[in-house]
Amino acid sequence: MMPLRVNLLAVLLFLIGSSASAWADDYTETIKIFKEAGTSAGFFGNSYGYAVFPTIGKGGVGIGGAYGKGRVYRKGAYVGNTSMTQLTVGWQLGGQGYSQIIFFQDQRAFDEFTTGKFEFGAQATAVAITAGASASASTTGISASASGGKHDATTAGSYHKGMATFTVAKGGLMYEASIGGQKFKYTPKK
């Protein structure tokens, strides 16, 4: 049974990864969506920096995973690249894509993220911006209300340990009751 799960997971993650370019918005479009989405817009002018992921693909059959590439900005200037990986364990079935942004309240939070190997614990949550999108146990932030579509949503959120995370669902369907943390790698812009 375990080899079958591993094979199904590998196929699912391959499909998500290979179709990521079809889901991928460029960074400017993704930032625009977050700027137009309620409370998250206010974080742009008040944060030290942020990391934006246009598309994170997530899938699972018993064991799950997620992956996405992003860019890191300090005071609005692009300063480096980041990637996110996640492994989840628990009941889960399906796949989905979403965009994610992480705001850094101050230089300390920014420096902590850009150490090169940063990790969010499984107990942290994100603010889901679109209706029907669920806050997951895989990112940081404070849970809050969400409504509307990605272009007319309203949200409420605040910093938690110097970081605030928002997500926008892009598509797919995933049933899950799982836990897992997100791991980030950072590379400065050359």
Side-chain angles (χ1 to χ4, degrees):
M1 181 68 174
M2 189 60 163
L4 177 61
R5 274 192 188 162
V6 172
N7 288 337
L8 287 172
L9 177 60
V11 168
L12 188 56
L13 289 175
F14 172 77
L15 290 173
I16 289 171
S18 65
S19 64
S21 62
W23 290 344
D25 291 325
D26 67 357
Y27 294 93
T28 303
E29 177 64 22
T30 303
I31 291 168
K32 180 181 175 190
I33 289 168
F34 282 106
K35 282 184 175 180
E36 294 174 353
T39 302
S40 65
F43 283 81
F44 284 94
N46 298 319
S47 67
Y48 184 80
Y50 54 90
V52 63
F53 297 84
T55 301
I56 294 176
K58 179 178 181 180
V61 179
I63 299 172
Y67 179 77
K69 291 182 179 181
R71 287 187 177 171
V72 177
Y73 297 81
R74 179 178 46 224
K75 298 184 180 183
Y78 166 50
V79 295
N81 298 304
T82 185
S83 64
M84 185 282 301
T85 56
Q86 177 182 21
L87 178 65
T88 54
V89 179
W91 193 90
Q92 53 197 314
L93 177 64
Q96 67 182 159
Y98 60 96
S99 298
Q100 178 172 299
I101 193 163
I102 304 166
F103 290 99
F104 311 113
Q105 184 175 23
D106 50 30
Q107 185 174 351
R108 182 211 50 84
F110 179 86
D111 290 346
E112 184 178 351
F113 184 88
T114 58
T115 60
K117 293 184 179 182
F118 179 77
E119 185 173 339
F120 284 143
Q123 73 284 357
T125 59
V127 176
I129 291 181
T130 58
S134 60
S136 65
S138 59
T139 58
T140 193
I142 303 291
S143 61
S145 62
S147 64
K150 70 180 182 179
H151 294 291
D152 61 353
T154 60
T155 63
S158 62
Y159 288 106
H160 177 73
K161 296 185 179 180
M163 296 185 198
T165 302
F166 296 86
T167 63
V168 172
K170 296 182 81 170
L173 181 61
M174 183 142 184
Y175 299 99
E176 69 179 314
S178 62
I179 59 169
Q182 289 185 336
K183 293 183 181 183
F184 298 88
K185 291 186 179 177
Y186 171 76
T187 308
K189 179 180 166 186
K190 294 181 181 186

